[in-house]
Amino acid sequence: METSEKTVVVGDLHCKEELVLPRVDAAVTELGAGRVVLCGDYVDEWLSNALTVRDSLDRLGRWVRERRARGLGVDLVLGNHDVQYLLRESGPGTHAALYDEVAEALLGLGVRAAVTVGPWLVTHAGVTRAWANDCLDLPEGANAGEVAGQLNALLDHGVKISLRMLATAGPGRCGYELPGPLWADQSELVCDALPGLDQIVGHTPVRSIDLRKLPVEDDAGAACRLAFCDTMSLRRDLTPVGDGSMLLVEGRSARAVSSEELGLKPWGPAVFAWAKAYVRPFLDGAPR
């Protein structure tokens, strides 16, 4: 069911909870939002180690529980980095010693494979037509809720074969399978988005919130809108790729919200200050 409630959608966190969550609080207050959706990848930043991952997850857990207790809706979407801990398998940046801790923490917070915001489907990387045709059993013209239901059923099934279906990677991310909803690259989603379904994703770093409307190019279905929100990811040297903007969804509409609009320190200087305070002091023994 569609609602006019304002929802703030936030891109990949990657162990930057100390930096990002106060900015989310500012967005909720300034915009009068009643809900926050986090797009996944809560762990595994460049130079992270067991200490920084544990600290980030602890901050995330306390923030989510406190905000929910105050009446704010908070939804967590599963990312490709996160699912490796549920699988207990190594992936890019995975800290194998923390398999159980990370999996328990995220499942305890109610992480989902997909959620809906009005007519929009929110996943970490997006649902392509090819993957949906192969892995889901959707009625013609399926809406976001129906797609989310089947994605969450795969997660809730809890066995490795179901989790791996969500986490297949295509050529855009150096894989050999169909691009799945935790791994599809931006280029793969744009070329083969599920027709008629508006989608919000993170995963592929972008310079700023990237909103696109894809036209109908064949007789397979209706046009759709895509919103790419991974504006907070960093390069290996901890410099920002994007501008730290967030997405505001109200009913069917969606727009970017900048740091300037919220009265916040620009993302670049904020990242530098965060890295100096919360990363550099903990680098001894950190994996390179």
Side-chain angles (χ1 to χ4, degrees), residues 171-224:
R173 289 302 179 108
C174 301
Y176 301 95
E177 301 172 289
L178 293 174
L182 300 185
W183 264 107
D185 188 70
Q186 181 186 50
S187 61
E188 294 169 323
L189 185 60
V190 169
C191 288
D192 191 35
L194 193 60
L197 183 68
D198 295 337
Q199 298 194 58
I200 299 171
V201 302
H203 186 54
T204 299
V206 291
R207 291 186 179 276
S208 189
I209 296 291
D210 185 354
L211 289 161
R212 303 190 186 190
K213 184 173 182 179
L214 303 186
V216 178
E217 295 184 351
D218 55 34
D219 59 359
C224 64

Side-chain angles (χ1 to χ4, degrees), residues 7 9 41 62 64 66 69 74 89 98 105 116 122 131-132 171 173 221 236 273:
T7 299
V9 184
D41 279 359
R62 285 189 282 112
V64 170
E66 289 172 2
V74 181
E89 295 176 358
L98 302 182
T116 61
V122 186
W131 185 90
R173 289 302 179 108
R236 186 182 296 269

Side-chain angles (χ1 to χ4, degrees), residues 21 30 47 62 66 70 80 82 98 102-103 126-127 142 145 159 176 198 206 212-213 231 238 260 263-264:
L21 294 179
E30 183 69 23
L47 306 181
R62 285 189 282 112
E66 289 172 2
R70 298 178 190 175
N80 63 296
D82 311 317
L98 302 182
V102 173
V127 179
V159 298
Y176 301 95
D198 295 337
V206 291
R212 303 190 186 190
K213 184 173 182 179
T231 66
L238 301 184
E260 181 181 31
L264 298 172

Side-chain angles (χ1 to χ4, degrees), residues 137-159:
D137 183 19
L138 296 173
E140 186 175 352
N143 61 33
E146 292 168 320
V147 179
Q150 293 197 26
L151 295 176
N152 287 324
L154 289 173
L155 174 62
D156 292 339
H157 196 219
V159 298

Side-chain angles (χ1 to χ4, degrees), residues 98-131:
L98 302 182
Y99 283 156
D100 291 342
E101 290 180 54
V102 173
E104 182 178 339
L106 293 179
L107 292 173
L109 293 173
V111 71
R112 300 276 74 200
V115 300
T116 61
V117 180
W120 299 84
L121 177 76
V122 186
T123 62
H124 181 62
V127 179
T128 63
R129 175 166 45 185
W131 185 90

